[in-house]
Amino acid sequence: MPNITAFTGFLLTAFFDSQELQTLWGVFFLGIYLEALMSNLIIITLITLDLQLQTPMYFFLKNLSLLDVFFVSVPIPKFVVNSLIHNNSISVLACAFQVFLMTSFSSGEVFVLTAMSYDRYVAICFPLNYGAIMNNHTCVLMMGVSWATGMLFGAIYTAGTFSMPFCGSNVIPQFFCDVPSLLRISCSETLVAIYSCLGIGVCLGMSCFICVVISYFYIFSTVLKIPTTKGQSKAFATCIPHLTVFTVFLVTACFVYLKPFTNTLSISERLFSVLYTVLPPALNPLIYSLRNTDVKSALRRLQQNLCLRRLLI
């Protein structure tokens, strides 16, 4: 019989044993976190204030940036503080909140990205009916379902995870609380609850992936029928950022979760876990703004308005 222990807290695993290296990595990822936070907040501010960005595409982008802000703010501040004060402890309640919030926000992001692919599909394949199909009610409903489903899945996943007994070591082989790491210190023999949640998650994830693939199949088929190169380029310009963001999110998630199950994690695997949490939120605003003239124009208008207000004062 395994020695089942009622843990009052866990110990997260640091990248390095050296406190100097821990401090260095903490400062480094603090910089990346601040960049991700500020760039996403700028996107949210621009879309909220600029009247020319009040379209379904930018409404979805604002929700995506909001999810990115919440998602990156769950594990990284705790990681930075732990690296700077060299204390890796976390309570069971805080660990449960991390699992719930990260699962909710990452699931919500998948649903929002799926909704964005449908938006691009309607805009390119049915441009004359776009306004009627993607009306305000439909957009709000799609985002409401995305957020609610993400939260519901996070609650089910968290309940399934913490219904298991833990035994032996209380050291989580990860810098934040996630389900695969908690499974490593679980002494449950059946894992029925967590595997049921995992099955639901895989089905939802595959459904979203299939929806995105089908949407882009019809999008590319329609774009290639456009007679002019300029028209094709304009259509592709509205899709490539979303497709890039979806690919970055999918690839980083696969690197973290679709790997052989082991009892310990190497430094490189823990590094990929950090990148999974900070890379998509940090890159998404850059991807959407680098070649997006609407966002650049909105930023210039905001800067001009701020300068005018300062002159008037």
Side-chain angles (χ1 to χ4, degrees):
M1 288 290 292
N3 182 20
I4 300 176
T5 308
F7 291 141
T8 58
F10 299 103
L11 290 176
L12 302 172
T13 302
F15 274 0
F16 302 100
D17 295 329
S18 169
Q19 292 188 353
E20 290 77 11
L21 288 175
Q22 287 183 29
T23 303
L24 181 64
W25 277 104
V27 173
F28 175 71
F29 281 106
L30 175 61
I32 297 179
Y33 169 70
L34 292 176
E35 185 277 329
L37 196 65
M38 292 304 298
S39 56
N40 279 287
L41 288 176
I42 289 173
I43 292 290
I44 293 170
T45 303
L46 289 175
I47 295 174
T48 302
L49 298 179
D50 197 288
L51 294 177
Q52 296 188 26
L53 298 183
Q54 304 301 310
T55 63
M57 183 178 76
Y58 292 109
F59 173 73
F60 294 142
L61 177 58
K62 182 169 72 172
N63 278 268
L64 181 66
S65 293
L66 197 59
L67 282 167
D68 280 338
V69 168
F70 291 151
F71 178 72
V72 76
S73 297
V74 175
I76 298 302
K78 176 68 174 174
F79 168 72
V80 170
V81 171
N82 287 352
S83 300
L84 296 179
I85 68 175
H86 313 297
N87 179 7
N88 296 321
S89 63
I90 185 172
S91 66
V92 174
L93 182 61
C95 186
F97 267 113
Q98 274 200 350
V99 172
F100 168 69
L101 293 175
M102 290 198 68
T103 305
S104 299
F105 296 142
S106 59
S107 301
E109 191 155 339
V110 172
F111 297 134
V112 170
L113 288 169
T114 305
M116 293 175 78
S117 70
Y118 176 73
D119 171 70
R120 292 299 83 207
Y121 161 73
V122 175
I124 292 175
C125 297
F126 303 98
L128 298 179
N129 298 323
Y130 178 71
I133 297 174
M134 301 302 297
N135 54 57
N136 290 336
H137 176 74
T138 302
C139 294
V140 171
L141 180 63
M142 291 174 72
M143 288 301 94
V145 170
S146 298
W147 282 81
T149 307
M151 291 293 179
L152 178 62
F153 183 64
I156 295 173
Y157 220 69
T158 305
T161 302
F162 284 88
S163 66
M164 303 182 300
F166 298 100
C167 57
S169 174
N170 68 334
V171 178
I172 296 176
Q174 184 59 278
F175 81 97
F176 63 94
C177 290
D178 68 340
V179 175
S181 300
L182 289 169
L183 287 177
R184 290 179 170 88
I185 61 173
S186 168
C187 53
S188 177
E189 297 180 355
T190 58
L191 300 178
V192 173
I194 194 63
Y195 281 136
S196 299
C197 297
L198 183 61
I200 296 172
V202 170
C203 290
L204 288 175
M206 287 302 299
S207 299
C208 291
F209 178 77
I210 291 171
C211 288
V212 172
V213 170
I214 293 174
S215 296
Y216 275 100
F217 172 79
Y218 284 107
I219 287 171
F220 289 145
S221 299
T222 303
V223 170
L224 292 176
K225 294 176 183 177
I226 297 176
T228 62
T229 305
K230 184 179 180 180
Q232 290 181 354
S233 300
K234 186 177 180 181
F236 277 128
T238 64
C239 299
I240 295 302
H242 170 265
L243 193 58
T244 305
V245 167
F246 183 78
T247 304
V248 169
F249 183 84
L250 192 66
V251 169
T252 52
C254 289
F255 266 114
V256 174
Y257 294 111
L258 297 183
K259 60 180 183 295
F261 188 88
T262 57
N263 290 326
T264 58
L265 290 177
S266 65
I267 292 177
S268 61
E269 288 175 321
R270 291 199 291 271
L271 179 60
F272 273 120
S273 298
V274 180
L275 293 177
Y276 163 67
T277 59
V278 299
L279 197 60
L283 289 181
N284 289 356
L286 298 177
I287 292 170
Y288 270 99
S289 61
L290 283 178
R291 297 185 62 185
N292 192 310
T293 56
D294 293 336
V295 174
K296 290 180 181 179
S297 299
L299 183 58
R300 283 195 295 269
R301 286 192 293 271
L302 180 62
Q303 291 172 337
Q304 291 170 358
N305 290 335
L306 292 176
C307 290
L308 286 174
R309 289 183 181 180
R310 288 180 182 177
L311 291 174
L312 293 174
I313 294 173

